[in-house]
Amino acid sequence: MRERIFSIILRGLEHWTPPPLASWQLQVLLNTTARAFSRPGPSVWYLPCSQALRKYARFTKRCLESDNASAQSLYRRFYALGQRLRKITGFTDEQKLQRLVFYLYRNIRISMSGQIPGTISISSCYFSNYYTPEQCRLMSYADSGLIAGLYSGGILEFSERITDGCRRCTACFTKAQRYETYIH
């Protein structure tokens, strides 16, 4: 029943997301990132989405420049967030999970296409204007963790990145064990 209700909700949100909901999503991402870096994060939930997104990008950039930057922590925190989203929605079907991933990323101005599991292409990324190639590599552990949490395990590996001067990002998500097999 829960999965059915969230399928209907997702279908509606794919057509139009209320702006406060998009800002709330950014607050959840910011809180998760702040915990991964063991720092307090600012509030963005009350801001228009474009301002909240800009504030989130600047906050993550500062975090990535710190000594507390840890691939393990990012992956683990976002894996837990993905697990919570899977539990809340009740989604187990890979098509519904993929739609949820693409929807969530669209809200933060990352345009994805492709198949999960499988190859994902990112034609535009809001954060490519903020992150250095090294910061992008580190922050992608959050992406890997979130998607792996939703799919109950897996690895997201990039072969091309916009921050490296490529026209798009290309990544492959492979279902696998939990992060212990990915993060040493």
Side-chain angles (χ1 to χ4, degrees), residues 49-180:
C49 188
S50 60
Q51 288 178 6
L53 185 59
R54 186 171 40 255
K55 200 166 188 175
Y56 175 68
R58 289 177 179 160
F59 175 76
T60 58
K61 182 162 180 62
R62 283 192 310 276
C63 288
L64 291 163
E65 292 168 346
S66 75
D67 291 338
N68 291 345
S70 162
Q72 282 183 320
S73 184
L74 280 167
Y75 186 91
R76 287 181 180 143
R77 292 289 181 169
F78 278 86
Y79 187 96
L81 177 59
Q83 284 182 310
R84 281 192 302 276
L85 286 170
R86 182 182 175 106
K87 185 175 183 180
I88 289 167
T89 63
F91 290 165
T92 56
D93 176 76
E94 288 184 354
Q95 289 292 339
K96 288 178 185 170
L97 290 167
Q98 177 179 300
R99 285 178 45 218
L100 178 60
V101 169
F102 288 0
Y103 165 75
L104 293 171
Y105 278 85
R106 187 187 74 208
N107 280 349
I108 58 171
R109 297 189 191 161
I110 295 176
S111 300
M112 296 178 127
S113 61
Q115 287 296 126
I116 303 175
T119 302
I120 303 165
S121 180
I122 298 167
S123 58
S124 66
C125 174
Y126 179 84
F127 301 95
S128 67
N129 296 316
Y130 286 88
Y131 299 161
T132 66
E134 296 77 25
Q135 291 168 337
C136 177
R137 275 180 195 61
L138 184 57
M139 198 62 191
S140 68
Y141 283 91
D143 302 316
S144 187
L146 179 69
I147 296 170
L150 281 165
Y151 282 80
S152 295
I155 300 168
L156 181 69
E157 294 181 297
F158 284 81
S159 56
E160 295 182 306
R161 294 174 189 272
I162 295 169
T163 56
D164 286 333
C166 298
R167 287 183 340 119
R168 70 179 56 83
C169 295
T170 305
C172 183
F173 182 77
T174 307
K175 291 200 56 139
Q177 297 294 319
R178 287 194 48 188
Y179 59 81
E180 286 87 359

